[in-house]
Amino acid sequence: MPPPSPRSLDISPDGRQLVFAEAEPVPTNPGAVNPQHNQVVELATCSLKAINLLDKGGKRITGGVTHLRGGGHTDVDPIFTPDGQSLRFASDRRRPDSADILQINAKAREGGIQNIYVDMRDYTALRPTMGADGVMVFVLYPPHGGAKPAEASAKIWAVGGGNPYETGIIEGIQPHVSPDGARVAYIG
């Protein structure tokens, strides 16, 4: 899976919380030295983390970072559901060397992890985004045999809202649903 993209953060619908994916470097050779970090590192996993921005009264607060999910997996591209109650994200938790769309409670201390989209054809699902009507749009990359996903063959898919079946929309990457849910912007 790729490291977090600049889109690997989201603000809750009420504006109180920021959630993001943070890469966790792991030393690869303790004897070697990187002049910037005094060690050689590789990106091994990414964790979901959150920062509270406002208290319940709407006052700005400065708080620490809350660790939402981790545990040796790569969790990227977090987004809040339109009601702000849940977070959806791409993760390799179900299938190593691939990614699916999963969901957790936004407070992350209650409940478990739900499968939202798990592809049984070995495709990789990344970059979820949601419309106000509940439609989820994401990029589906074909199997890549351990290499980097081929963006040229990536296809944008949609599921949810009024559509119970996943539907291929168009070849492209980096989708985003308009606030009214009527359009999908993408790079194609």
Side-chain angles (χ1 to χ4, degrees):
M1 279 186 40
S5 71
R7 241 197 79 208
S8 283
L9 61 91
D10 196 22
I11 295 178
S12 62
D14 64 5
R16 294 177 195 256
Q17 193 175 43
L18 172 80
V19 65
F20 61 97
E22 181 177 65
E24 297 176 349
V26 174
T28 57
N29 182 352
V33 176
N34 175 322
Q36 291 181 319
H37 304 290
N38 294 327
Q39 63 183 354
V40 174
V41 298
E42 68 179 18
L43 297 179
T45 63
C46 290
S47 294
L48 297 184
K49 298 185 178 184
I51 298 174
N52 291 323
L53 303 173
L54 303 172
D55 66 14
K56 292 188 181 198
K59 292 179 77 178
R60 183 173 170 244
I61 59 174
T62 56
V65 174
T66 302
H67 191 93
L68 300 177
R69 288 285 177 214
H73 298 283
T74 301
D75 300 331
V76 295
D77 300 329
I79 58 165
F80 282 92
T81 55
D83 64 6
Q85 299 299 307
S86 300
L87 289 170
R88 290 189 178 175
F89 57 97
S91 178
D92 67 353
R93 290 173 180 270
R94 303 294 189 244
R95 298 179 300 131
D97 300 323
S98 199
D100 301 301
I101 308 298
L102 306 178
Q103 179 172 293
I104 59 171
N105 182 297
K107 294 182 179 45
R109 302 281 186 250
E110 306 163 7
I113 299 174
Q114 286 181 280
N115 294 340
I116 298 299
Y117 182 83
V118 177
D119 192 279
M120 293 298 139
R121 300 166 295 176
D122 245 3
Y123 281 56
T124 296
L126 294 170
R127 317 278 189 257
T129 183
M130 290 190 74
D133 64 350
V135 68
M136 181 180 71
V137 176
F138 57 95
V139 178
L140 200 58
Y141 294 95
H144 50 83
K148 186 174 165 183
E151 291 187 352
S153 56
K155 193 163 188 177
I156 297 172
W157 287 71
V159 66
N163 180 15
Y165 306 104
E166 61 263 10
T167 305
I169 298 175
I170 194 165
E171 285 190 8
I173 59 171
Q174 300 290 339
H176 191 76
V177 179
S178 65
D180 65 2
R183 294 185 180 95
V184 175
Y186 65 94
I187 297 171

